[in-house]
Amino acid sequence: MKVDPALQRRLLDLAEIDAELSRVAHRRGNLPEHAELTEAEKAVQAQRDAHVAAKTALGDLDREVERQEREVESVRARAERDRKLMESGSVSAKQLSDVEHELETLQRRQNALEEDLLELMERREATEEDERRAAAEVTAKEEAVAEITARRDEALAELDSTRARRESERSALLVELPEDLIARYDRVRQSRGVGAGLLRYRRCGACQLELDRVALSEIKAAAADDVVTCDNCGAILVRTAESGL
């Protein structure tokens, strides 16, 4: 294949563009924010679960407090009825003794229920504080997710801008180059990663390996418009004054 040496040198620009596009693609898929965001989202979900558990526990205690309060109120109402009955003077001596005994029993029951209620309310107060802390933690972790997401999106936007600019430059450059040269370049790039490199003295700029004397002799003997390749990696070798030929 024969191509004007000036056009062959343009392959170095193409290779530089493709190298940057590869770096952009790699960085885009390996942003540290991706891993940060995954961990932060896990932390948010775990905290949301903890908040739900705290809210559930608080709801259970609210119902238990309400039940206990109703029971206390029921005992108080029963005791009040007994006191009114005693005060009415409409009960016999035996009935009076029974009522007095029931009042004593009701008082003990009320005392026990009120102690249980106090304990429940203390537990509820502590659980309510746990729920408030859990809710605050959810908010804090959601804010962390939002901050990481913003950083990731900013980084992606910058990378996408670079990619769009370089792809535009690549498209403009391809118009200048012969199709068969582009086809050979792309075949090598797809299989080896780099399609062309500068031959600087004995070293290939694509694979960074030195060429042997036989290969160098053949390249030196080739016409300036001959397209030559590296024996080691297959990349198109671009010859310039730096090639030392």
Side-chain angles (χ1 to χ4, degrees):
M1 181 186 299
K2 290 183 176 291
V3 176
D4 186 281
L7 292 180
Q8 291 189 46
R9 286 193 290 274
R10 295 291 278 158
L11 287 178
L12 297 178
D13 298 328
L14 183 60
E16 180 187 350
I17 291 171
D18 285 336
E20 185 167 9
L21 286 172
S22 294
R23 289 192 296 271
V24 165
H26 180 268
R27 176 159 170 71
R28 201 179 191 284
N30 294 276
L31 285 173
E33 287 82 3
H34 290 321
E36 286 183 54
L37 192 56
T38 297
E39 292 304 313
E41 287 173 342
K42 288 179 181 178
V44 166
Q45 189 55 57
Q47 193 58 49
R48 284 174 180 164
D49 292 342
H51 184 218
V52 169
K55 286 180 67 176
T56 300
L58 184 60
D60 291 343
L61 283 170
D62 281 339
R63 287 186 290 274
E64 185 65 17
V65 166
E66 290 173 5
R67 186 194 64 77
Q68 196 79 350
E69 286 176 339
R70 287 195 301 271
E71 192 164 351
V72 169
E73 187 56 35
S74 175
V75 171
R76 286 174 179 169
R78 179 65 181 273
E80 183 63 23
R81 286 196 300 270
D82 285 352
R83 279 191 289 271
K84 287 181 179 179
L85 181 61
M86 290 175 61
E87 292 170 0
S88 69
S90 61
V91 295
S92 65
K94 183 178 183 310
Q95 288 175 323
L96 182 61
S97 176
D98 291 340
V99 171
E100 288 175 344
H101 177 70
E102 183 176 17
L103 275 172
E104 292 174 0
T105 301
L106 289 171
Q107 186 60 53
R108 288 194 298 271
R109 174 62 175 160
Q110 181 179 331
N111 291 341
L113 288 172
E114 287 176 342
E115 287 180 7
D116 291 344
L117 179 59
L118 179 60
E119 181 183 347
L120 279 172
M121 294 181 73
E122 289 173 348
R123 286 171 53 197
R124 187 201 177 282
E125 183 178 351
T127 302
E128 186 176 28
E129 181 60 28
D130 290 342
E131 188 274 335
R132 280 196 294 265
R133 281 198 299 267
E137 282 293 321
V138 169
T139 299
K141 292 186 184 303
E142 287 175 341
E143 289 173 352
V145 166
E147 187 272 331
I148 296 169
T149 300
R151 282 195 285 111
R152 181 204 62 184
D153 291 348
E154 182 179 356
L156 288 176
E158 183 178 345
L159 291 170
D160 288 346
S161 175
T162 299
R163 180 176 62 184
R165 174 173 55 81
R166 296 303 257 170
E167 285 179 345
S168 176
E169 293 172 357
R170 190 179 199 276
S171 297
L173 181 55
L174 291 181
V175 175
E176 304 177 17
L177 301 175
E179 292 184 0
D180 52 352
L181 180 65
I182 295 170
R184 175 178 290 190
Y185 168 88
D186 281 339
R187 281 197 303 272
V188 177
R189 181 174 64 88
Q190 290 168 7
S191 63
R192 299 297 183 93
V194 181
L198 172 65
L199 175 61
R200 182 178 283 112
Y201 300 106
R202 298 180 59 181
R203 189 176 300 276
C204 167
C207 65
Q208 301 302 316
L209 296 177
E210 289 190 356
L211 280 68
D212 60 34
R213 290 184 178 180
V214 174
L216 284 172
S217 296
E218 292 176 351
I219 292 172
K220 187 174 183 179
D225 61 351
D226 282 340
V227 175
V228 298
T229 58
C230 173
D231 285 348
N232 296 311
C233 68
I236 297 171
L237 288 173
V238 177
R239 291 164 288 170
T240 70
E242 296 181 60
S243 297
L245 299 176

